[in-house]
């Protein structure tokens, strides 16, 4: 009988004992299993990583944010423009609802797709705000908006499928597509079209293998907002070619200058049947750390996603879901004040960036990002951002992370004082390049 205990498959116990006796103490000792000495007897362990995992690019936004925070912890005066979360606190009534649930012992498993009360509240939100009728069974609650996107892609795409993604894109979309075994098809856009894909470009990108089109409006990283007419024109092509649409609407409430959001699913019953909406609590309620998102989908897709979730994460955090109910059913007074402050920052930052030689920034009307063009500086985005951080202690995300190397992303989800200071440093940095 082979010995396959803690030390793995090393033959009989007597052979294992003999190896221990015949090997010098410095090579095999009490650290047999984990220490480097094992390597001198058995060779280096081959930790084979799956091809899908090995193909992934790490999240540059998280890396930049982590580095900036570490520099701040080391006492350096860093201005961070990399973060993708509001700088406001979660509204108090939402925190109170979660705290009450926690105190009441609401700490056990829930249904994998979320508690019925929350799924119904989300369905009611879509009816009230978007004119869409969903049953609670068509709503799946996730561990964050990112999880929502991943599960939708995983449930709908497989090997040989193609997914059309306009660039600049949220950096995780292509990686999720690759994890599902499908192929991302990137369609480049520029600031000349306000970073919007045109119907002609979408039509050219679709092939018989196209399974999914990803639309994000308002957009991360650009802040662009598609008009209802623009959205319908793109959606009509998807209907014509029988392509599903994943509509990422998490920035739906963050709009300025009279911009209007209309969900893809709202144009007709056919649009509804071709659309999966992904959404979440992170942006409009400042709940990034709560990790709760959702999707609204046709019933067969919702059932498939529910099955995937039941075998992966199971339910989102129980008491956080009670906070989600409060977010959707409670007062929304905070949003007016947040939008006023965001708009003030957006206006100031756009004007300031356009006054800096070498930089141009197209005005946009959504989210809390700007996507300045730096092509006239002579630097590509990675070098620009690395040198900016080194020279002026300003952290921004290179546009290459979003598929656009002539740009960088600036988040104005920070105080006006930080915005002023950071933009002055960017101006000084650019002046030093000439």
């Amino acid at each position: 009988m082979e010995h396959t205990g803690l030390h793995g498959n090393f033959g009989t116990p007597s052979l294992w004992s003999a190896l221990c006796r015949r090997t010098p103490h410095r090579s095999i000792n009490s650290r047999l299993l984990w220490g480097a000495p094992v390597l001198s007897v058995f060779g280096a362990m081959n930790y084979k990583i799956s091809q899908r995992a090995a193909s992934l690019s790490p999240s540059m936004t998280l890396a930049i944010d982590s580095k900036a925070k570490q520099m701040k912890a080391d006492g350096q005066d860093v201005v961070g423009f990399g973060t993708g979360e509001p700088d406001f606190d979660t509204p108090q009534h939402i925190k109170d609802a979660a705290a009450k649930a926690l105190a009441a012992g609401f700490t056990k498993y829930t249904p994998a797709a979320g508690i019925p009360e929350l799924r119904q509240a989300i369905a009611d939100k879509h009816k009230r705000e978007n004119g869409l009728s969903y049953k609670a069974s068509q709503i799946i609650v996730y561990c964050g908006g990112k999880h929502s996107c991943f599960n939708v892609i995983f449930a709908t795409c497989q090997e040989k499928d193609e997914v059309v993604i306009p660039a600049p894109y949220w950096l995780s979309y292509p990686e999720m597509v690759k994890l599902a075994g499908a192929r991302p098809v990137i369609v480049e856009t520029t600031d000349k079209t306000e970073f919007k894909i045109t119907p002609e470009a979408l039509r050219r990108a679709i092939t018989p293998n196209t399974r999914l089109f990803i639309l994000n409006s308002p957009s991360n990283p650009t802040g662009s907002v598609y008009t209802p007419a623009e959205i319908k024109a793109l959606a009509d092509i998807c209907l014509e070619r029988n392509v599903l649409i994943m509509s990422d609407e998490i920035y739906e409430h963050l709009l300025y200058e009279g911009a209007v959001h209309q969900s893809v699913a709202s144009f007709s019953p056919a649009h509804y049947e071709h659309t999966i909406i992904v959404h979440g609590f992170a942006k409009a309620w400042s709940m990034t750390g709560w990790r709760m998102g959702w999707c609204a989908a046709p019933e067969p897709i919702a059932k498939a996603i529910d099955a995937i979730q039941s075998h992966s994460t199971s339910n989102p955090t129980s008491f956080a879901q009670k906070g989600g109910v409060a977010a959707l059913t409670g007062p929304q007074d905070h949003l007016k004040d947040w939008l006023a402050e965001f708009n003030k920052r957006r206006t100031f930052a756009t004007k300031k960036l356009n006054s800096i030689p070498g930089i141009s920034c197209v005005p946009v009307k959504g989210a809390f990002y700007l996507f300045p063009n730096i092509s006239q500086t002579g630097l590509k985005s990675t070098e620009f951002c690395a040198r900016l951080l080194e020279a002026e202690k300003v952290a921004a995300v290179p546009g290459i992370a979003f598929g656009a190397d002539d740009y960088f992303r600036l988040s104005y989800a920070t105080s006006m004082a930080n915005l002023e200071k950071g933009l002055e440093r960017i101006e000084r940095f650019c002046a030093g390049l000439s």
Side-chain angles (χ1 to χ4, degrees), residues 212-256:
L212 187 69
F213 168 56
I214 296 180
L215 180 65
N216 176 212
S217 178
S219 165
N220 175 9
T222 67
S224 297
V225 182
Y226 287 79
T227 66
E230 289 169 336
I231 289 176
K232 185 176 186 300
L234 297 171
D236 286 349
I237 293 171
C238 292
L239 264 64
E240 175 190 322
R241 301 296 296 274
N242 198 28
V243 172
L244 291 173
I245 305 163
M246 186 179 85
S247 180
D248 187 344
E249 303 180 9
I250 197 167
Y251 293 94
E252 169 190 9
H253 297 98
L254 305 182
L255 297 167
Y256 318 102

Side-chain angles (χ1 to χ4, degrees), residues 2 91 159 176 197 216-217 221 228 262 268-269 283 289 313 388 407 410 413 423:
E2 291 188 329
E159 286 76 5
M176 293 173 178
I197 187 173
N216 176 212
S217 178
Q262 184 166 352
S268 75
K283 314 303 179 179
T313 60
L388 178 63
Y407 305 83
L410 182 149
L423 289 171

Side-chain angles (χ1 to χ4, degrees), residues 280-301:
F281 295 91
K283 314 303 179 179
W285 295 276
S286 193
M287 296 171 66
T288 51
W290 293 60
R291 307 315 303 142
M292 280 205 305
W294 76 80
C295 85
E299 193 91 48
I301 293 176

Side-chain angles (χ1 to χ4, degrees), residues 259-311:
V260 175
H261 168 80
Q262 184 166 352
S263 176
V264 186
S266 67
F267 291 105
S268 75
H271 290 85
Y272 176 97
E273 290 298 330
H274 278 75
T275 302
I276 307 110
I277 296 172
V278 293
H279 213 306
F281 295 91
K283 314 303 179 179
W285 295 276
S286 193
M287 296 171 66
T288 51
W290 293 60
R291 307 315 303 142
M292 280 205 305
W294 76 80
C295 85
E299 193 91 48
I301 293 176
K303 286 182 178 179
I305 294 170
D306 189 8
I308 291 170
Q309 187 150 301
S310 71
H311 289 293

Side-chain angles (χ1 to χ4, degrees), residues 335-353:
L335 202 52
K336 181 180 178 181
D337 295 336
W338 290 10
L339 287 173
E341 182 61 27
F342 278 146
N343 189 44
K344 183 169 70 173
R345 300 172 190 173
R346 179 188 65 94
T347 303
F348 168 78
T350 303
K351 183 177 180 181
K352 180 66 175 178
L353 285 164

